[in-house]
Amino acid sequence: MHHVEKGRDATSSCPYTLASFSTEHFGVGSASCWHKSSKTAGAFFQNAEMPQNNTLQGNHANSVEEWRRSKTKRNLAAGLSYLQWSSGLLGKAISSGSGSEQVPHSVLYRRRWLMLFLFSSVSASNALMWLQYGIISNIFMRFYNIGPLAIDWLSMIYLLTYIPLILPVLWLLDNRGIREAVLIGSAFNCIGAWIKVGSAGPDMVLVAFVGQLVCSVATVFVLGVPSHLASVWFGEEEVSSACSIGVVGNQLGIAIGFLVPPILVPNVDDLDELAHHISIMFYITAGVATFLFILVVIVFQERPKLPPTQAQATARSIPPEQYSYTASILRLLRNKAFILLIISYGLNVGCFYAVGTLLNRMVLSHYPGEEVNAGRIGLTIVIAGMVGSLICGMWLDRTKTYKQTTLSVYLMSLVGMIVFAATLSLGHLWLVFITAGALGFFMTGYLPLGFEFAVELTYPESEGTSSGLLNCSAQVFGIIFTICQGKIIDNFGTLEGNIFLCVFLLIGSIMTAFIKSDLRRQNANQQAKAAVSVEKPMWLFLFLSLNVGARIKVSFAPPAAP
């Protein structure tokens, strides 16, 4: 009589009982164990609950076959219920035992778009107030009776405040969550806007600085949120686009900041009339900031109940006691590819900050009296950049070519800066609009690329931490470039000042080329998908084994005569 030991291959020590199927049986561990299990699975299902001494003969065969079929069906149902999900090497695995923790499903919620829209609106409101003074710097210089460097600092204070506050704010984002960060940021934005309402007087320049300082604190809380918000709320195929939309919100505010102040505050000689126009502008921005703060309090949520991707599910599974904010910062600073990206990102975005702050001075030096067109040129830069950001985000979602896209856009930013510098002084304002738009498309379009590339290089570290460090680098270089280019423009001219920026864009392009493309987040999602795809052949194997085992007829021959 053929006899197979229940629950173990007679020729091997490899267990194959239903309760013992685990990750290694799914192609992750021992291949030989899987092979042996597949050979004997039919015998297992055949003998699972059959008495070992049962002898089947003659007319009992049909009834025994019926008994075997009904039993194996019940055994499968009981056995499959014993298998449970647990986290494994690839993010998902099937393990036995009732103590295993189930991995949540990935779900996309419709309200994710509401969260993104609300955050983008807050970011736009804050960015608008950054350029309220710089784009009409000649008017405010006369109104407050201050020099060009002082008016530049009303914009650069946004950059300066970010540097000492970014690490505490990153700690708050990691430990208290995205809702509190956005809530505090919108509160500072609202308070600063109302303080600036009181600065609409020729002797209120200190109040203006205090208001800008409070608004700049809000920037620290909202500037690094887009990549974090996109990862927490959006799926794998739309995360880059969502990050781009979050960045576009900030760019939209900059665009409004270029367009609206020259319209609301005309260059009139009467200081009382000028103060009235300035007051109207500040009241409008304060009202919008207050409305957005109320919406954030009522509507904005921390995160969805279930994660949108397997990578986010894995990140959520890390126990809080195992996470160290200081250790995370140190790991990021030891990541050579990320360090290269920090510096190259700071060079590119720092150049953009310098151009945005000094645009009014550059345009008026060649086209006197064109304050409104200076604002429109800035608007053209940002609108083109918004289009570039959205296109780059969709391209990343489609191709996942992070380094190639980032390097290409960086090189085109350099080309755009060279063309803008060469055409600014030719005397053709329409040509400046075209070259400024080309510059903005690539230079501003680079912003979400840097955020998303950083998340890929640093996963599973917090997205807010990586983007916060990128922005800190941008603020440092922005201050340096704005001061240096302003001095160069005053002493030599706009062409020399723009060439100064081109040199650093070239350095940044070379550094980007040396960044190693280690796409960790993409690898995590692919491994999770691979684990899920491996499960399907296993279930098919179980059913086929059942079917074969239920239909095997075992023949028992009497012992041969001596």
Side-chain angles (χ1 to χ4, degrees), residues 426-492:
L426 294 182
H428 303 291
L429 200 57
W430 61 269
L431 184 60
V432 177
F433 273 92
I434 296 175
T435 56
L439 173 65
F441 182 87
F442 294 106
M443 183 173 282
T444 314
Y446 172 81
L447 299 177
L449 294 179
F451 282 160
E452 284 298 291
F453 198 15
V455 173
E456 292 293 335
L457 294 175
T458 60
Y459 178 86
E461 306 295 345
S462 170
E463 299 86 355
T465 304
S466 60
S467 59
L469 293 177
L470 289 183
N471 283 321
C472 185
S473 173
Q475 315 308 314
V476 172
F477 284 111
I479 293 173
I480 296 172
F481 290 165
T482 301
I483 295 175
C484 293
Q485 189 187 16
K487 292 295 184 181
I488 294 173
I489 290 175
D490 292 338
N491 295 311
F492 299 99

Side-chain angles (χ1 to χ4, degrees), residues 51-301:
Q52 299 250 356
N53 60 354
N54 197 4
T55 304
L56 308 178
Q57 294 180 352
N59 295 331
H60 296 285
N62 292 335
S63 61
V64 170
E65 182 177 353
E66 294 176 358
W67 175 87
R68 186 181 288 136
R69 289 178 179 175
S70 62
K71 270 296 189 185
T72 50
K73 291 178 181 178
R74 289 194 296 270
N75 291 342
L76 178 66
L80 296 185
S81 65
Y82 191 61
L83 294 174
Q84 294 194 8
W85 295 103
S86 68
S87 57
L89 176 64
L90 301 182
K92 273 189 175 182
I94 291 180
S95 62
S96 61
S98 60
S100 300
E101 183 181 356
Q102 293 192 1
V103 172
H105 296 289
S106 300
V107 178
L108 293 177
Y109 296 84
R110 292 181 180 178
R111 63 178 178 271
R112 68 190 186 277
W113 296 107
L114 177 60
M115 303 299 113
L116 181 60
F117 173 77
L118 182 54
F119 164 76
S120 298
S121 300
V122 173
S123 182
S125 172
N126 183 252
L128 159 65
M129 289 183 274
W130 169 46
L131 289 172
Q132 278 182 319
Y133 299 99
I135 196 58
I136 49 177
S137 58
N138 60 316
I139 297 176
F140 275 105
M141 286 168 58
R142 182 170 60 86
F143 183 71
Y144 288 132
N145 193 25
I146 56 178
L149 184 59
I151 206 71
D152 289 344
W153 271 111
L154 280 170
S155 297
M156 288 191 297
I157 196 172
Y158 264 65
L159 313 182
L160 181 64
T161 306
Y162 195 94
I163 299 171
L165 293 182
I166 180 57
L167 292 180
V169 170
L170 289 180
W171 179 89
L172 180 73
L173 181 62
D174 286 343
N175 290 274
R176 304 293 296 180
I178 189 174
R179 171 177 163 79
E180 288 199 17
V182 176
L183 182 63
I184 295 173
S186 61
F188 272 104
N189 192 54
C190 178
I191 295 171
W194 283 107
I195 292 176
K196 288 166 66 173
V197 170
S199 69
D203 56 345
M204 294 293 180
V205 62
L206 291 180
V207 178
F209 269 101
V210 173
Q212 280 292 84
L213 176 63
V214 175
C215 290
S216 68
V217 175
T219 302
V220 188
F221 287 90
V222 302
L223 201 57
V225 168
S227 59
H228 187 75
L229 178 65
S231 296
V232 169
W233 281 94
F234 288 83
E236 180 186 358
E237 300 301 323
E238 57 190 15
V239 62
S240 297
S241 298
C243 180
S244 298
I245 294 173
V247 173
V248 162
N250 189 268
Q251 296 173 4
L252 178 62
I254 296 175
I256 298 172
F258 278 127
L259 178 65
V260 173
I263 296 175
L264 294 180
V265 185
N267 191 4
V268 296
D269 294 330
D270 187 355
L271 292 183
D272 292 334
E273 182 182 355
L274 186 59
H276 174 71
H277 292 300
I278 293 174
S279 178
I280 291 176
M281 179 179 68
F282 287 154
Y283 270 113
I284 292 174
T285 55
V288 172
T290 304
F291 174 71
L292 292 174
F293 171 68
I294 295 173
L295 283 182
V296 169
V297 172
I298 299 174
V299 176
F300 198 84
Q301 297 179 358

Side-chain angles (χ1 to χ4, degrees), residues 238-536:
E238 57 190 15
V239 62
S240 297
S241 298
C243 180
S244 298
I245 294 173
V247 173
V248 162
N250 189 268
Q251 296 173 4
L252 178 62
I254 296 175
I256 298 172
F258 278 127
L259 178 65
V260 173
I263 296 175
L264 294 180
V265 185
N267 191 4
V268 296
D269 294 330
D270 187 355
L271 292 183
D272 292 334
E273 182 182 355
L274 186 59
H276 174 71
H277 292 300
I278 293 174
S279 178
I280 291 176
M281 179 179 68
F282 287 154
Y283 270 113
I284 292 174
T285 55
V288 172
T290 304
F291 174 71
L292 292 174
F293 171 68
I294 295 173
L295 283 182
V296 169
V297 172
I298 299 174
V299 176
F300 198 84
Q301 297 179 358
E302 173 65 29
R303 67 179 186 180
K305 182 178 180 181
L306 297 177
T309 63
Q310 290 304 318
Q312 186 61 212
T314 303
R316 286 192 187 186
S317 67
I318 301 176
E321 60 272 12
Q322 294 184 9
Y323 176 78
S324 170
Y325 172 69
T326 304
S328 176
I329 295 290
L330 293 177
R331 283 192 298 269
L332 291 176
L333 296 179
R334 288 193 295 264
N335 188 329
K336 295 180 180 179
F338 181 59
I339 292 299
L340 287 174
L341 181 61
I342 286 178
I343 299 174
S344 60
Y345 181 91
L347 292 174
N348 189 300
V349 181
C351 289
F352 169 70
Y353 287 159
V355 171
T357 302
L358 301 173
L359 182 63
N360 177 269
R361 290 166 61 183
M362 287 191 286
V363 172
L364 293 183
S365 65
H366 297 287
Y367 307 93
E370 295 288 353
E371 292 90 357
V372 175
N373 276 325
R376 291 171 179 170
I377 292 172
L379 175 66
T380 303
I381 291 176
V382 179
I383 294 296
M386 293 167 61
V387 176
S389 296
L390 294 176
I391 291 177
C392 289
M394 291 185 290
W395 175 258
L396 285 184
D397 281 332
R398 186 178 184 86
T399 65
K400 308 301 181 184
T401 54
Y402 288 87
K403 178 179 177 178
Q404 297 90 326
T405 305
T406 302
L407 180 58
S408 299
V409 173
Y410 211 120
L411 289 172
M412 292 307 299
S413 298
L414 171 60
V415 174
M417 192 70 214
I418 294 173
V419 175
F420 176 75
T423 58
L424 181 61
S425 59
L426 294 182
H428 303 291
L429 200 57
W430 61 269
L431 184 60
V432 177
F433 273 92
I434 296 175
T435 56
L439 173 65
F441 182 87
F442 294 106
M443 183 173 282
T444 314
Y446 172 81
L447 299 177
L449 294 179
F451 282 160
E452 284 298 291
F453 198 15
V455 173
E456 292 293 335
L457 294 175
T458 60
Y459 178 86
E461 306 295 345
S462 170
E463 299 86 355
T465 304
S466 60
S467 59
L469 293 177
L470 289 183
N471 283 321
C472 185
S473 173
Q475 315 308 314
V476 172
F477 284 111
I479 293 173
I480 296 172
F481 290 165
T482 301
I483 295 175
C484 293
Q485 189 187 16
K487 292 295 184 181
I488 294 173
I489 290 175
D490 292 338
N491 295 311
F492 299 99
T494 57
L495 178 61
E496 290 79 3
N498 288 324
I499 291 176
F500 167 79
L501 297 182
C502 291
V503 172
F504 287 98
L505 285 175
L506 176 61
I507 296 173
S509 300
I510 296 173
M511 296 182 70
T512 302
F514 283 98
I515 296 176
K516 182 180 178 181
S517 184
D518 182 15
L519 307 182
R520 300 180 181 181
R521 182 176 62 178
Q522 292 303 313
N523 292 337
N525 282 323
Q526 290 172 5
Q527 288 177 348
K529 289 182 179 179
V532 173
S533 64
V534 168
E535 295 158 10
K536 296 179 181 178

